[in-house]
Amino acid sequence: MKAQRNKHLGLPLLLTAVMTCVVAPAGTAQADTGAVVFFDNVRVFDGKQAIPKADVLVRNGLIKKVDPTHAITPPTGATVVGGSGKTLMPGLIDGHTHMLTVRDMKDALLYGVTTVVSAGENPGVREYTQCTGPQTNRADLIPSSFFATTTGSHGTELPPEFFGEIPLLTQVSQVPGWVDDRIAEGAHHIKVIYEDHSKFQETPAPKLPIEIVEALVDDAHAKGLDVIGHATTTADAKELLETGVDGLTHVPVDPIDQEFLDLMVDNGAHMTPTLDVERAGDGVTLGVGELADPHLSPWLSPTNQFFLGLTPPPGFGDRWSYTDSRNNLAQIKTAGITVLAGTDNANPGVTTGAGMHRELELLVDAGLTPKQALRSATHKVAKAYGLSDRGMVKEGKLADLLLVNGNPINDVLDSRKIAGIWRIGTPVDRTALLSEASAPTDPACTP
């Protein structure tokens, strides 16, 4: 067993929609460093626990005070937000995303997803966000750059409009240079695909040789990066865990066993199950619920509506059952393994933003309590990815906040009843953001 450290992420089961171009919209508004927001007597889910009532003070983009004694007087000039009947929580962190356009990061923010952890993003999007820096009109991108795959394997079937020209790995000697290139591109973690697609198509695809995976994990760890493994079968997942990966993305679609659970526990590995996309295994038409939900549908951009309207190719879900995925996650939760929420957006029927609220619902359906599901989308994913400045409503943390009507700690569906969103302490105008133009506004940063 390889020595372990922190944790990081993965890719989609299948991307079938081809986008004709990648646009990089992007406002340039920075956080107002003088902004002061006072949440008055609000229920708080702090990322770990519930605080029945508290006052929360935000200044200069940071949380300055969380006072459960309700003894703070609002500072002069502060924007006061009443908390009656509402719950304040950290901005959601999507632990498995594919940002194909900067519009995708705006769509995430529309639903209170303030950070997106990448499992492979369009290189133009990564370069644009690195150039422009943090913005208050889009989620923050935690990039992985290119994922590791090989000739003819999963990911290579996609057009370059998705992820660019993917640098492939075909021999062990390439590994050190490949990892160095990802570091130079600003990768926060490495994602490796170990997948023959045998559960999703008639003819299996080539799989990255395990000796290359072993070398990649060792080299990335030596250079300070976590490695997240993509696998969809129990056998492949166990081989990845034997190499020392820090986490897995996608819960296996066939029944897991005790050996799998033991490897996860021994590695200290986390699991991002991406349940929504795996529902296709029961022939479910994904996306219908989001389109019909009165709390989600009004804020769907044309891009999100497009992906929700897509369906997987014929036969895609014929070789596995979602029942196995759901049962597997219940066992993973019982074993005490860290579960992270992630959407695997850009798959047919799965979107960024709205999809996180669907994923929370499915996590609860699979056996997590609402509080555990909310932890998986806030504090736990921040901890797993070393994002120490966010994921909690706590003094000194980034003021990425989501205010909802009701109490999602009791009913996770209340996470959809959004009353307000703040990014770096700045309120998000959802109506303006939904209609914001999708065109470059900074020529120096245009992909």
Side-chain angles (χ1 to χ4, degrees):
M1 185 69 61
K2 301 293 191 299
Q4 291 306 300
R5 307 152 27 267
N6 293 11
K7 334 226 174 287
H8 289 42
L9 186 80
L11 159 93
L13 298 177
L14 183 68
L15 289 166
T16 58
V18 178
M19 303 184 74
T20 57
C21 64
V22 175
V23 294
T28 56
Q30 298 292 333
D32 178 3
T33 57
V36 180
V37 185
F38 183 84
F39 296 92
D40 182 34
N41 205 23
V42 66
R43 180 189 302 111
V44 174
F45 171 71
D46 70 1
K48 291 183 179 181
Q49 303 295 335
I51 304 172
K53 293 292 179 183
D55 294 336
V56 179
L57 177 64
V58 168
R59 188 192 299 272
N60 295 342
L62 297 175
I63 298 168
K64 291 297 184 181
K65 187 73 174 176
V66 179
D67 181 12
T69 69
H70 191 49
I72 308 177
T73 300
T76 301
T79 298
V80 178
V81 180
S84 178
K86 298 178 173 63
T87 303
L88 183 68
M89 54 192 291
L92 302 177
I93 305 175
D94 190 334
H96 184 135
T97 68
H98 301 285
M99 297 292 104
L100 306 183
T101 72
V102 178
R103 178 71 244 178
D104 291 335
M105 289 188 289
K106 296 173 185 283
D107 288 341
L109 186 59
L110 277 169
Y111 291 92
V113 178
T114 53
T115 299
V116 291
V117 180
S118 179
E121 72 278 353
N122 181 279
V125 173
R126 170 176 44 78
E127 292 164 7
Y128 190 86
T129 56
Q130 289 169 339
C131 179
T132 55
Q135 302 290 313
T136 59
N137 67 340
R138 65 178 186 236
D140 198 13
L141 174 68
I142 309 300
S144 65
S145 188
F146 296 104
F147 42 77
T149 190
T150 195
T151 305
S153 191
H154 182 45
T156 63
E157 76 274 23
L158 303 169
E161 287 83 3
F162 276 87
F163 301 117
E165 297 293 339
I166 301 168
L168 303 176
L169 283 166
T170 58
Q171 49 191 322
V172 170
S173 62
Q174 296 173 300
V175 167
W178 190 94
V179 173
D180 288 342
D181 287 344
R182 305 295 78 76
I183 292 172
E185 291 156 358
H188 176 268
H189 50 274
I190 297 293
K191 185 272 191 72
V192 58
I193 296 174
Y194 194 60
E195 173 70 69
D196 68 4
H197 253 191
S198 59
K199 290 290 184 180
F200 314 111
Q201 60 191 39
E202 196 73 42
T203 303
K207 189 161 59 176
L208 188 66
I210 195 64
E211 60 268 20
I212 294 181
V213 178
E214 292 170 342
L216 187 148
V217 172
D218 288 345
D219 193 72
H221 281 176
K223 293 168 180 173
L225 295 186
D226 283 359
V227 180
I228 308 308
H230 161 112
T232 53
T233 67
T234 298
D236 285 350
K238 288 194 290 189
E239 288 195 61
L240 280 176
L241 289 166
E242 290 282 6
T243 71
V245 295
D246 302 283
L248 292 177
T249 185
H250 309 307
V251 66
V253 298
D254 57 346
I256 59 174
D257 55 22
Q258 190 61 46
E259 182 184 17
F260 170 89
L261 294 171
D262 290 344
L263 284 167
M264 289 289 291
V265 171
D266 291 346
N267 274 27
H270 53 74
M271 165 60 70
T272 307
T274 67
L275 290 175
D276 193 14
V277 72
E278 295 197 9
R279 289 192 303 144
D282 280 355
V284 173
T285 301
L286 308 182
V288 174
E290 287 87 335
L291 289 167
D293 191 303
H295 300 294
L296 300 179
S297 61
W299 305 101
L300 293 169
S301 71
T303 299
N304 266 348
Q305 292 178 34
F306 171 73
F307 276 102
L308 285 173
L310 294 175
T311 57
F316 176 69
D318 292 351
R319 298 171 183 85
W320 86 93
S321 171
Y322 177 65
T323 299
D324 288 330
S325 301
R326 187 178 178 276
N327 290 344
N328 288 344
L329 184 60
Q331 295 179 64
I332 288 167
K333 180 243 183 182
T334 299
I337 294 161
T338 297
V339 175
L340 309 181
T343 59
D344 198 6
N345 72 295
N347 273 282
V350 182
T351 72
T352 184
M356 268 295 278
H357 297 276
R358 169 69 70 193
E359 196 70 21
L360 289 171
E361 175 188 4
L362 294 173
L363 289 172
V364 172
D365 178 68
L368 276 68
T369 67
K371 185 184 291 185
Q372 289 169 335
L374 294 173
R375 286 172 179 161
S376 78
T378 54
H379 165 68
K380 284 197 171 183
V381 68
K383 182 178 180 181
Y385 283 92
L387 307 175
S388 59
D389 63 343
R390 67 195 74 190
M392 292 194 71
V393 180
K394 184 179 179 181
E395 293 172 15
K397 300 292 186 180
L398 195 65
D400 284 356
L401 299 167
L402 173 60
L403 183 69
V404 301
N405 293 307
N407 186 0
I409 305 161
N410 290 338
D411 183 353
V412 79
L413 295 182
D414 283 353
S415 73
R416 308 174 182 204
K417 300 174 183 178
I418 296 174
I421 302 164
W422 287 259
R423 169 82 174 114
I424 324 178
T426 298
V428 174
D429 184 335
R430 296 179 83 193
T431 300
L433 185 58
L434 179 61
S435 61
E436 193 168 303
S438 294
T441 57
D442 186 342
C445 292
T446 302

Short mmCIF file of all heavy atoms in Angstrom, two decimals, residues 148-196:
data_model
loop_
_atom_site.label_atom_id
_atom_site.label_comp_id
_atom_site.label_asym_id
_atom_site.label_seq_id
_atom_site.Cartn_x
_atom_site.Cartn_y
_atom_site.Cartn_z
N ALA A 148 -5.44 12.21 -17.06
CA ALA A 148 -4.53 11.19 -17.58
C ALA A 148 -5.32 10.07 -18.23
O ALA A 148 -6.17 9.44 -17.60
CB ALA A 148 -3.66 10.64 -16.46
N THR A 149 -5.06 9.84 -19.51
CA THR A 149 -5.70 8.76 -20.23
C THR A 149 -4.75 8.32 -21.34
O THR A 149 -3.67 8.89 -21.50
CB THR A 149 -7.07 9.19 -20.78
OG1 THR A 149 -7.77 8.05 -21.29
CG2 THR A 149 -6.94 10.25 -21.87
N THR A 150 -5.15 7.31 -22.10
CA THR A 150 -4.27 6.78 -23.13
C THR A 150 -5.00 6.67 -24.46
O THR A 150 -6.21 6.91 -24.54
CB THR A 150 -3.69 5.41 -22.70
OG1 THR A 150 -2.58 5.08 -23.55
CG2 THR A 150 -4.75 4.32 -22.77
N THR A 151 -4.28 6.29 -25.48
CA THR A 151 -4.83 6.22 -26.83
C THR A 151 -6.07 5.34 -26.89
O THR A 151 -6.04 4.17 -26.47
CB THR A 151 -3.77 5.66 -27.80
OG1 THR A 151 -2.57 6.45 -27.69
CG2 THR A 151 -4.28 5.70 -29.23
N GLY A 152 -7.18 5.91 -27.37
CA GLY A 152 -8.42 5.16 -27.54
C GLY A 152 -9.21 4.94 -26.28
O GLY A 152 -10.28 4.34 -26.32
N SER A 153 -8.72 5.43 -25.14
CA SER A 153 -9.41 5.21 -23.87
C SER A 153 -10.43 6.31 -23.62
O SER A 153 -10.58 7.26 -24.40
CB SER A 153 -8.40 5.14 -22.72
OG SER A 153 -9.02 4.69 -21.53
N HIS A 154 -11.13 6.20 -22.49
CA HIS A 154 -12.18 7.15 -22.15
C HIS A 154 -11.63 8.57 -22.10
O HIS A 154 -10.57 8.83 -21.56
CB HIS A 154 -12.80 6.79 -20.81
CG HIS A 154 -13.93 7.67 -20.40
ND1 HIS A 154 -14.93 8.05 -21.26
CD2 HIS A 154 -14.21 8.27 -19.21
CE1 HIS A 154 -15.79 8.82 -20.62
NE2 HIS A 154 -15.37 8.98 -19.39
N GLY A 155 -12.38 9.49 -22.68
CA GLY A 155 -11.96 10.88 -22.79
C GLY A 155 -11.49 11.23 -24.18
O GLY A 155 -11.70 12.35 -24.66
N THR A 156 -10.87 10.27 -24.86
CA THR A 156 -10.35 10.55 -26.20
C THR A 156 -11.44 10.52 -27.26
O THR A 156 -11.21 10.96 -28.38
CB THR A 156 -9.26 9.54 -26.57
OG1 THR A 156 -9.82 8.22 -26.63
CG2 THR A 156 -8.13 9.56 -25.57
N GLU A 157 -12.62 9.98 -26.90
CA GLU A 157 -13.72 9.95 -27.87
C GLU A 157 -14.38 11.32 -28.04
O GLU A 157 -15.21 11.52 -28.92
CB GLU A 157 -14.77 8.90 -27.44
CG GLU A 157 -15.68 9.33 -26.30
CD GLU A 157 -15.09 9.06 -24.92
OE1 GLU A 157 -13.86 8.95 -24.81
OE2 GLU A 157 -15.87 8.97 -23.96
N LEU A 158 -14.01 12.25 -27.18
CA LEU A 158 -14.65 13.56 -27.17
C LEU A 158 -13.93 14.53 -28.10
O LEU A 158 -12.70 14.45 -28.26
CB LEU A 158 -14.67 14.11 -25.75
CG LEU A 158 -15.36 13.20 -24.73
CD1 LEU A 158 -15.09 13.68 -23.32
CD2 LEU A 158 -16.85 13.14 -25.02
N PRO A 159 -14.65 15.45 -28.72
CA PRO A 159 -14.02 16.41 -29.63
C PRO A 159 -13.18 17.43 -28.85
O PRO A 159 -13.41 17.65 -27.66
CB PRO A 159 -15.22 17.10 -30.30
CG PRO A 159 -16.32 16.97 -29.30
CD PRO A 159 -16.12 15.65 -28.62
N PRO A 160 -12.21 18.05 -29.51
CA PRO A 160 -11.33 19.00 -28.82
C PRO A 160 -12.06 20.22 -28.28
O PRO A 160 -11.53 20.92 -27.42
CB PRO A 160 -10.30 19.38 -29.88
CG PRO A 160 -10.93 19.04 -31.19
CD PRO A 160 -11.81 17.85 -30.92
N GLU A 161 -13.30 20.48 -28.75
CA GLU A 161 -14.06 21.59 -28.20
C GLU A 161 -14.35 21.40 -26.71
O GLU A 161 -14.59 22.37 -25.99
CB GLU A 161 -15.40 21.77 -28.95
CG GLU A 161 -15.26 22.35 -30.34
CD GLU A 161 -14.91 21.32 -31.39
OE1 GLU A 161 -14.83 20.12 -31.04
OE2 GLU A 161 -14.75 21.69 -32.55
N PHE A 162 -14.32 20.16 -26.26
CA PHE A 162 -14.55 19.90 -24.84
C PHE A 162 -13.30 20.19 -24.02
O PHE A 162 -13.29 21.09 -23.18
CB PHE A 162 -14.98 18.44 -24.64
CG PHE A 162 -16.44 18.20 -24.84
CD1 PHE A 162 -16.95 17.93 -26.09
CD2 PHE A 162 -17.31 18.24 -23.78
CE1 PHE A 162 -18.29 17.70 -26.29
CE2 PHE A 162 -18.67 18.02 -23.95
CZ PHE A 162 -19.17 17.75 -25.22
N PHE A 163 -12.27 19.40 -24.20
CA PHE A 163 -11.11 19.44 -23.32
C PHE A 163 -9.80 19.75 -24.03
O PHE A 163 -8.73 19.60 -23.43
CB PHE A 163 -10.98 18.11 -22.57
CG PHE A 163 -12.18 17.77 -21.73
CD1 PHE A 163 -12.93 16.64 -21.99
CD2 PHE A 163 -12.58 18.60 -20.69
CE1 PHE A 163 -14.04 16.33 -21.23
CE2 PHE A 163 -13.69 18.30 -19.93
CZ PHE A 163 -14.42 17.17 -20.19
N GLY A 164 -9.87 20.19 -25.28
CA GLY A 164 -8.65 20.50 -26.01
C GLY A 164 -7.97 19.23 -26.51
O GLY A 164 -8.53 18.14 -26.49
N GLU A 165 -6.74 19.39 -26.96
CA GLU A 165 -5.94 18.26 -27.44
C GLU A 165 -5.29 17.60 -26.23
O GLU A 165 -4.30 18.08 -25.70
CB GLU A 165 -4.90 18.73 -28.45
CG GLU A 165 -5.49 19.34 -29.71
CD GLU A 165 -6.25 18.32 -30.56
OE1 GLU A 165 -5.98 17.10 -30.39
OE2 GLU A 165 -7.08 18.74 -31.38
N ILE A 166 -5.83 16.48 -25.80
CA ILE A 166 -5.39 15.83 -24.57
C ILE A 166 -4.02 15.18 -24.76
O ILE A 166 -3.84 14.37 -25.67
CB ILE A 166 -6.41 14.76 -24.14
CG1 ILE A 166 -7.79 15.41 -23.92
CG2 ILE A 166 -5.96 14.04 -22.88
CD1 ILE A 166 -8.91 14.41 -23.79
N PRO A 167 -3.04 15.52 -23.92
CA PRO A 167 -1.72 14.87 -24.01
C PRO A 167 -1.81 13.46 -23.43
O PRO A 167 -2.03 13.28 -22.24
CB PRO A 167 -0.83 15.78 -23.16
CG PRO A 167 -1.75 16.46 -22.21
CD PRO A 167 -3.08 16.57 -22.89
N LEU A 168 -1.63 12.45 -24.27
CA LEU A 168 -1.85 11.07 -23.88
C LEU A 168 -0.61 10.46 -23.24
O LEU A 168 0.52 10.85 -23.53
CB LEU A 168 -2.27 10.24 -25.10
CG LEU A 168 -3.52 10.75 -25.84
CD1 LEU A 168 -3.77 9.90 -27.07
CD2 LEU A 168 -4.74 10.75 -24.93
N LEU A 169 -0.85 9.47 -22.39
CA LEU A 169 0.22 8.70 -21.77
C LEU A 169 0.24 7.30 -22.36
O LEU A 169 -0.78 6.59 -22.34
CB LEU A 169 0.02 8.61 -20.26
CG LEU A 169 0.37 9.87 -19.45
CD1 LEU A 169 -0.19 9.77 -18.04
CD2 LEU A 169 1.88 10.06 -19.40
N THR A 170 1.39 6.91 -22.91
CA THR A 170 1.51 5.58 -23.52
C THR A 170 2.67 4.77 -22.95
O THR A 170 2.75 3.58 -23.20
CB THR A 170 1.69 5.71 -25.04
OG1 THR A 170 2.86 6.49 -25.32
CG2 THR A 170 0.47 6.36 -25.69
N GLN A 171 3.56 5.42 -22.20
CA GLN A 171 4.68 4.70 -21.59
C GLN A 171 5.10 5.38 -20.29
O GLN A 171 4.91 6.59 -20.11
CB GLN A 171 5.86 4.59 -22.55
CG GLN A 171 6.28 5.89 -23.21
CD GLN A 171 7.27 5.67 -24.33
OE1 GLN A 171 8.14 4.81 -24.23
NE2 GLN A 171 7.13 6.43 -25.41
N VAL A 172 5.68 4.58 -19.40
CA VAL A 172 6.04 5.07 -18.07
C VAL A 172 7.02 6.23 -18.13
O VAL A 172 6.94 7.18 -17.32
CB VAL A 172 6.62 3.91 -17.23
CG1 VAL A 172 7.22 4.44 -15.93
CG2 VAL A 172 5.55 2.88 -16.92
N SER A 173 7.91 6.23 -19.09
CA SER A 173 8.93 7.28 -19.17
C SER A 173 8.35 8.67 -19.38
O SER A 173 9.00 9.68 -19.10
CB SER A 173 9.93 6.96 -20.29
OG SER A 173 9.26 6.92 -21.55
N GLN A 174 7.12 8.75 -19.87
CA GLN A 174 6.47 10.05 -20.10
C GLN A 174 5.95 10.69 -18.81
O GLN A 174 5.67 11.89 -18.79
CB GLN A 174 5.28 9.89 -21.06
CG GLN A 174 5.63 9.44 -22.46
CD GLN A 174 4.37 9.15 -23.25
OE1 GLN A 174 3.56 8.29 -22.89
NE2 GLN A 174 4.17 9.90 -24.32
N VAL A 175 5.79 9.90 -17.77
CA VAL A 175 5.05 10.35 -16.59
C VAL A 175 5.64 11.59 -15.93
O VAL A 175 4.92 12.57 -15.69
CB VAL A 175 4.89 9.20 -15.57
CG1 VAL A 175 4.42 9.73 -14.22
CG2 VAL A 175 3.91 8.17 -16.11
N PRO A 176 6.95 11.66 -15.61
CA PRO A 176 7.46 12.85 -14.92
C PRO A 176 7.22 14.14 -15.69
O PRO A 176 6.80 15.16 -15.11
CB PRO A 176 8.94 12.55 -14.75
CG PRO A 176 9.03 11.06 -14.75
CD PRO A 176 7.99 10.62 -15.74
N GLY A 177 7.46 14.12 -16.99
CA GLY A 177 7.22 15.32 -17.80
C GLY A 177 5.75 15.67 -17.89
O GLY A 177 5.39 16.85 -17.88
N TRP A 178 4.90 14.64 -17.96
CA TRP A 178 3.46 14.87 -18.03
C TRP A 178 2.97 15.55 -16.76
O TRP A 178 2.20 16.52 -16.82
CB TRP A 178 2.74 13.53 -18.23
CG TRP A 178 1.28 13.63 -18.55
CD1 TRP A 178 0.70 13.64 -19.78
CD2 TRP A 178 0.20 13.75 -17.60
NE1 TRP A 178 -0.67 13.74 -19.67
CE2 TRP A 178 -1.00 13.82 -18.35
CE3 TRP A 178 0.14 13.79 -16.22
CZ2 TRP A 178 -2.25 13.92 -17.75
CZ3 TRP A 178 -1.11 13.90 -15.61
CH2 TRP A 178 -2.29 13.96 -16.36
N VAL A 179 3.41 15.08 -15.61
CA VAL A 179 3.01 15.70 -14.34
C VAL A 179 3.56 17.12 -14.25
O VAL A 179 2.85 18.05 -13.82
CB VAL A 179 3.49 14.85 -13.15
CG1 VAL A 179 3.23 15.58 -11.83
CG2 VAL A 179 2.79 13.49 -13.14
N ASP A 180 4.80 17.33 -14.66
CA ASP A 180 5.38 18.67 -14.64
C ASP A 180 4.58 19.64 -15.50
O ASP A 180 4.38 20.81 -15.12
CB ASP A 180 6.83 18.64 -15.13
CG ASP A 180 7.78 17.99 -14.13
OD1 ASP A 180 7.41 17.88 -12.95
OD2 ASP A 180 8.89 17.61 -14.55
N ASP A 181 4.10 19.16 -16.64
CA ASP A 181 3.29 20.02 -17.52
C ASP A 181 1.98 20.42 -16.84
O ASP A 181 1.53 21.56 -16.96
CB ASP A 181 3.00 19.31 -18.83
CG ASP A 181 4.22 19.22 -19.74
OD1 ASP A 181 5.20 19.96 -19.50
OD2 ASP A 181 4.19 18.40 -20.68
N ARG A 182 1.36 19.49 -16.12
CA ARG A 182 0.11 19.82 -15.43
C ARG A 182 0.37 20.84 -14.32
O ARG A 182 -0.43 21.76 -14.12
CB ARG A 182 -0.53 18.57 -14.82
CG ARG A 182 -0.78 17.41 -15.78
CD ARG A 182 -1.82 17.71 -16.86
NE ARG A 182 -1.32 18.51 -17.95
CZ ARG A 182 -0.54 18.05 -18.93
NH1 ARG A 182 -0.11 16.81 -18.93
NH2 ARG A 182 -0.16 18.86 -19.92
N ILE A 183 1.47 20.69 -13.62
CA ILE A 183 1.82 21.66 -12.58
C ILE A 183 2.03 23.03 -13.19
O ILE A 183 1.55 24.05 -12.66
CB ILE A 183 3.07 21.19 -11.82
CG1 ILE A 183 2.76 19.94 -10.99
CG2 ILE A 183 3.59 22.30 -10.90
CD1 ILE A 183 3.96 19.29 -10.36
N ALA A 184 2.71 23.09 -14.34
CA ALA A 184 2.96 24.37 -15.01
C ALA A 184 1.65 25.02 -15.46
O ALA A 184 1.55 26.25 -15.54
CB ALA A 184 3.88 24.16 -16.21
N GLU A 185 0.64 24.21 -15.74
CA GLU A 185 -0.66 24.72 -16.15
C GLU A 185 -1.54 25.13 -14.96
O GLU A 185 -2.65 25.62 -15.16
CB GLU A 185 -1.40 23.65 -16.98
CG GLU A 185 -0.76 23.41 -18.33
CD GLU A 185 -1.06 22.04 -18.91
OE1 GLU A 185 -1.75 21.24 -18.24
OE2 GLU A 185 -0.59 21.75 -20.03
N GLY A 186 -1.04 24.91 -13.76
CA GLY A 186 -1.78 25.34 -12.57
C GLY A 186 -2.68 24.29 -11.98
O GLY A 186 -3.59 24.61 -11.19
N ALA A 187 -2.45 23.01 -12.30
CA ALA A 187 -3.30 21.95 -11.77
C ALA A 187 -3.21 21.91 -10.25
O ALA A 187 -2.13 21.94 -9.67
CB ALA A 187 -2.90 20.61 -12.35
N HIS A 188 -4.37 21.82 -9.62
CA HIS A 188 -4.46 21.72 -8.17
C HIS A 188 -4.38 20.26 -7.72
O HIS A 188 -4.03 19.97 -6.58
CB HIS A 188 -5.77 22.35 -7.73
CG HIS A 188 -6.06 22.26 -6.26
ND1 HIS A 188 -6.78 21.21 -5.72
CD2 HIS A 188 -5.74 23.06 -5.23
CE1 HIS A 188 -6.90 21.39 -4.41
NE2 HIS A 188 -6.27 22.50 -4.08
N HIS A 189 -4.71 19.34 -8.63
CA HIS A 189 -4.71 17.92 -8.37
C HIS A 189 -4.67 17.22 -9.72
O HIS A 189 -4.83 17.85 -10.76
CB HIS A 189 -5.96 17.50 -7.58
CG HIS A 189 -7.23 18.01 -8.19
ND1 HIS A 189 -7.74 19.26 -7.91
CD2 HIS A 189 -8.08 17.45 -9.07
CE1 HIS A 189 -8.85 19.46 -8.60
NE2 HIS A 189 -9.08 18.37 -9.32
N ILE A 190 -4.45 15.91 -9.70
CA ILE A 190 -4.39 15.11 -10.92
C ILE A 190 -5.56 14.14 -10.93
O ILE A 190 -5.91 13.55 -9.91
CB ILE A 190 -3.06 14.32 -11.00
CG1 ILE A 190 -1.86 15.27 -11.06
CG2 ILE A 190 -3.07 13.37 -12.19
CD1 ILE A 190 -1.76 16.08 -12.31
N LYS A 191 -6.14 13.96 -12.10
CA LYS A 191 -7.22 12.99 -12.27
C LYS A 191 -6.76 11.94 -13.29
O LYS A 191 -6.28 12.27 -14.37
CB LYS A 191 -8.47 13.71 -12.74
CG LYS A 191 -9.71 12.84 -12.84
CD LYS A 191 -9.82 12.17 -14.18
CE LYS A 191 -11.16 11.52 -14.38
NZ LYS A 191 -12.21 12.50 -14.58
N VAL A 192 -6.89 10.67 -12.91
CA VAL A 192 -6.46 9.58 -13.79
C VAL A 192 -7.65 8.70 -14.13
O VAL A 192 -8.44 8.34 -13.26
CB VAL A 192 -5.32 8.76 -13.15
CG1 VAL A 192 -5.74 8.19 -11.80
CG2 VAL A 192 -4.85 7.66 -14.07
N ILE A 193 -7.79 8.36 -15.40
CA ILE A 193 -8.89 7.52 -15.87
C ILE A 193 -8.40 6.09 -16.03
O ILE A 193 -7.41 5.83 -16.72
CB ILE A 193 -9.43 8.04 -17.21
CG1 ILE A 193 -10.05 9.43 -17.04
CG2 ILE A 193 -10.44 7.06 -17.79
CD1 ILE A 193 -10.47 10.07 -18.33
N TYR A 194 -9.08 5.16 -15.36
CA TYR A 194 -8.77 3.74 -15.48
C TYR A 194 -10.08 3.04 -15.83
O TYR A 194 -10.83 2.60 -14.98
CB TYR A 194 -8.21 3.23 -14.14
CG TYR A 194 -7.55 1.87 -14.23
CD1 TYR A 194 -6.45 1.66 -15.06
CD2 TYR A 194 -8.01 0.81 -13.47
CE1 TYR A 194 -5.84 0.42 -15.14
CE2 TYR A 194 -7.41 -0.44 -13.53
CZ TYR A 194 -6.33 -0.62 -14.37
OH TYR A 194 -5.72 -1.86 -14.44
N GLU A 195 -10.36 2.96 -17.11
CA GLU A 195 -11.73 2.69 -17.57
C GLU A 195 -11.71 2.04 -18.94
O GLU A 195 -11.09 2.56 -19.87
CB GLU A 195 -12.49 4.02 -17.64
CG GLU A 195 -13.86 3.95 -18.25
CD GLU A 195 -14.83 3.21 -17.35
OE1 GLU A 195 -15.18 3.74 -16.29
OE2 GLU A 195 -15.23 2.10 -17.74
N ASP A 196 -12.39 0.89 -19.09
CA ASP A 196 -12.50 0.28 -20.42
C ASP A 196 -13.91 0.42 -21.00
O ASP A 196 -14.18 -0.06 -22.10
CB ASP A 196 -12.09 -1.19 -20.39
CG ASP A 196 -13.05 -2.08 -19.59
OD1 ASP A 196 -14.09 -1.58 -19.11
OD2 ASP A 196 -12.74 -3.28 -19.44
#
